[in-house]
Amino acid sequence: PLADELTALGVDVVPIPWTEIDPYALIDAPPILLRSTWDYHRMPTLFASWLDALADAGRLTMNPPRVARDNIDKIYLQALEAAGVAIPRTRWLDRIDNAAIDRAMKEEGWDRAVLKPRVAATAYGTFLVSKDSALSDEELAPANASGALLQEVVPEIVLHGETSIAYAGGAFSHAVVRRAKAGDFRVQQDFGGSVEAVSPSPSLLSFAASVMTLVPDSCLYARVDVVESGRGPLLMELELIEPELYFLHAPEGAHRMAREIVARLA
């Protein structure tokens, strides 16, 4: 949908895998729009180096390479929490095995928790763990590769879903609610989750707007994933690299984004 909107506005759109783009190309070096780079978590060092090269070369890239690089590792949530943004209760783990997970859960008093690699996409390497869980070395490999975060279970995600609020040029564009299928905790469509356009509550909009004050003005797009919990709105993730923006569910969002892109190209 975004490509169609840009084409209608006179902008040529050519999809190219990021691994085939030469950051230092001097001839035929059009602006780059980072969209579905959904394999970066499997080669994060290469991706980070590519972004650094783009920044050094000065290629116009949306979102800016430095911003994207800082968003690769979920450790960015620490900085946001320090700035006053509420996130789920989280333990940060460097060496991950079943004993370390069990120890952290006992210290927190959790019966269940969600284990996430710090570098991941689309719930890659993410598991719901309990006191009786015993993950294999293969299952723990993504978490051990990057470090991990162990988060409290937020029951409202399963009960009511997670709201993804999209921004274009720093302004609210549209939102969807994502719900997990029965018996699962992951809201991604890859795992059977559902998506529905929604008008966020004033409290979620206000919370997301406060998160956006910490996002550089240079960002073309952002997606703020939030949930209304028993202790108020919580930030699940701030997506600044390649978020699914659900234009199929909110076509007006594609039109807004296309106009913002054209304005930046001009």
Side-chain angles (χ1 to χ4, degrees), residues 5-150:
E5 291 286 350
L6 285 167
T7 300
L9 293 173
V11 178
D12 291 332
V13 179
V14 180
I16 306 175
W18 65 270
T19 49
E20 297 179 13
I21 297 176
D22 178 1
Y24 296 108
L26 299 178
I27 300 174
D28 189 24
I32 296 169
L33 175 62
L34 297 177
R35 288 306 306 129
S36 51
T37 57
W38 290 329
D39 60 351
Y40 77 86
H41 60 287
R42 297 181 183 275
M43 48 185 103
T45 301
L46 178 62
F47 187 61
S49 297
W50 180 73
L51 291 172
D52 288 341
L54 280 178
D56 292 342
R59 291 281 296 272
L60 175 59
T61 307
M62 298 172 278
N63 280 340
R66 301 291 190 207
V67 171
R69 198 186 198 289
D70 289 344
N71 202 232
I72 291 174
D73 190 327
K74 296 186 198 324
I75 200 78
Y76 71 79
L77 288 169
Q78 283 189 356
L80 293 177
E81 185 179 33
V85 176
I87 68 172
R89 294 182 179 89
T90 302
R91 289 287 297 266
W92 299 88
L93 307 177
D94 292 322
R95 295 182 63 85
I96 301 95
D97 55 28
N98 289 301
I101 294 170
D102 187 60
R103 184 166 54 251
M105 290 178 64
K106 286 180 178 177
E107 291 172 356
E108 296 294 339
W110 296 337
D111 292 326
R112 298 187 304 160
V114 177
L115 179 73
K116 303 176 181 178
R118 280 171 38 187
V119 177
T122 320
Y124 170 71
T126 298
F127 296 95
L128 180 65
V129 296
S130 65
K131 294 178 179 179
D132 303 321
S133 295
L135 298 177
S136 68
D137 289 344
E138 183 179 358
E139 290 172 325
L140 289 171
N144 274 308
S146 64
L149 53 162
L150 189 68

Side-chain angles (χ1 to χ4, degrees), residues 120-206:
T122 320
Y124 170 71
T126 298
F127 296 95
L128 180 65
V129 296
S130 65
K131 294 178 179 179
D132 303 321
S133 295
L135 298 177
S136 68
D137 289 344
E138 183 179 358
E139 290 172 325
L140 289 171
N144 274 308
S146 64
L149 53 162
L150 189 68
Q151 289 188 323
E152 65 174 335
V153 171
V154 181
E156 289 83 1
I157 292 179
V158 173
L159 293 172
H160 307 298
E162 181 178 302
T163 302
S164 293
I165 303 176
Y167 288 80
F172 169 71
S173 175
H174 58 279
V176 300
V177 61
R178 303 185 293 158
R179 297 184 178 91
K181 72 176 183 180
D184 207 325
F185 69 100
R186 297 165 296 190
V187 297
Q188 289 84 359
Q189 290 174 287
D190 305 64
F191 302 102
S194 64
V195 177
E196 180 184 356
V198 68
S199 295
S201 67
S203 65
L204 286 187
L205 272 178
S206 177

Side-chain angles (χ1 to χ4, degrees), residues 218-240:
S218 56
C219 285
L220 166 70
Y221 56 78
R223 195 185 83 198
V224 184
D225 292 341
V226 295
V227 60
E228 188 75 77
S229 76
R231 61 186 180 97
L234 300 175
L235 176 70
M236 301 306 295
E237 289 205 42
L238 172 61
E239 298 275 14
L240 300 176

